Amino acid sequence: MNSNFHWQYYIVLEQDVEALARYIEFTPDNFKTYSLELTKLLLSICSEVDVTMKLLSKMLLPNKKTRNINDYKEIITAECSGIIQEPATTRSHNLEFYPWVSWAEGDNPSWWKGHTDVKHKRHQFYAKANLENVLEALSALFIVNQFLALIEYKKSDQYEVWPLKSLMDIQKELSPRSSFFKHYHILPGQE
C-alpha cells in the first residue's frame, strides 16, 4: 500500500509536533509563537503535503499533469470535494482545524501561503513559521493521508469484499494510529 509509507512518515512528523507541547501550550494564545524548530517542522510538513497531494491527484486523474498546489486544488476539489469541509480534531488539546476550507472560495490555505513565504523569504517572513501554521499544516497532512488511503483502498480488490464507508473506517485501519488527530464525523454521502 503506497499510502502506508506516507502514513508512517506522517506519524514521525506528528510525534515531533507532539513533543513541542512540553514547551509550548497548544492554545490559540500561543498560535503566533515562532522558532527555528517550528520553521523546520513547517517546511517538512508542507513538503510532505505537497508529495501526498501530488500522489492523490495522480490517483484521481492519472493522465493529468500536476505542478503545484493550484493543480492539486483543481483535481482534488472536483474529484474529492469532501476534503474541503473535513476537520481534524486534536485528541488532547481541544482544537479543531479545517485546513482545506479556503479551497471552497478558490483560495489556497493561509498556512500554505505562510509556508511559501518562509520557504522563499525566510528573512522577511520568519514569524509565519508559527505554531498555528504548523498545526494547520499537520492537520492538512492528516486529512490528505486519510483520503489517500481511502482512494487507494477503493481502487483495490478488497473494496468489493469489504466496502469501507468513511474516513473513520480508514482511520481505524491505518497503523500505527494517530495519537494527535481524530475524525469525529462522517462526511455527507458516506453514511
Side-chain angles (χ1 to χ4, degrees), residues 11-12 15 31-32 36 64 79 81 84 86 94 96 144 162 168 180 187:
I11 293 296
V12 169
Q15 290 168 348
F31 277 0
K32 297 305 175 197
L36 287 173
K64 178 97 171 165
E79 302 293 322
S81 63
I84 293 171
E86 186 61 29
N94 199 29
E96 187 168 69
V144 170
W162 184 59
M168 288 189 298
F180 195 72
L187 292 170

Side-chain angles (χ1 to χ4, degrees), residues 46-93:
C46 289
S47 176
E48 185 66 5
V49 167
D50 186 54
V51 168
T52 54
M53 287 190 354
K54 186 172 193 162
L55 182 57
L56 178 59
S57 296
K58 189 61 79 183
M59 288 176 74
L60 293 168
L61 289 177
N63 297 321
K64 178 97 171 165
K65 285 231 185 250
T66 56
R67 294 180 316 263
N68 57 41
I69 193 169
N70 294 317
D71 295 338
Y72 311 145
K73 176 174 52 180
E74 180 184 329
I75 293 168
I76 294 170
T77 57
E79 302 293 322
C80 219
S81 63
I83 203 168
I84 293 171
Q85 295 300 323
E86 186 61 29
T89 305
T90 59
R91 293 175 184 259
S92 58
H93 301 285

Side-chain angles (χ1 to χ4, degrees), residues 12-25:
V12 169
L13 292 168
E14 177 185 275
Q15 290 168 348
D16 288 348
V17 169
E18 279 186 293
L20 287 174
R22 293 176 57 204
Y23 308 101
I24 306 169
E25 190 65 35

Side-chain angles (χ1 to χ4, degrees), residues 72-170:
Y72 311 145
K73 176 174 52 180
E74 180 184 329
I75 293 168
I76 294 170
T77 57
E79 302 293 322
C80 219
S81 63
I83 203 168
I84 293 171
Q85 295 300 323
E86 186 61 29
T89 305
T90 59
R91 293 175 184 259
S92 58
H93 301 285
N94 199 29
L95 298 169
E96 187 168 69
F97 299 97
Y98 291 83
W100 300 108
V101 74
S102 63
W103 276 4
E105 311 301 315
D107 295 327
N108 287 324
S110 60
W111 58 266
W112 183 264
K113 293 174 188 172
H115 152 260
T116 302
D117 288 344
V118 170
K119 181 179 171 184
H120 297 292
K121 297 179 185 173
R122 193 166 313 146
H123 62 284
Q124 189 176 350
F125 295 107
Y126 180 52
K128 290 188 178 184
N130 59 47
L131 180 62
E132 181 176 24
N133 283 339
V134 167
L135 293 175
E136 288 274 359
L138 188 67
S139 70
L141 183 57
F142 174 77
I143 291 167
V144 170
N145 268 286
Q146 304 283 310
F147 273 88
L148 182 64
L150 183 63
I151 299 302
E152 186 174 70
Y153 181 77
K154 284 184 174 184
K155 290 180 179 259
S156 75
D157 296 336
Q158 294 176 339
Y159 186 67
E160 298 300 321
V161 178
W162 184 59
L164 298 175
K165 296 183 178 177
S166 73
L167 292 177
M168 288 189 298
D169 291 336
I170 282 292

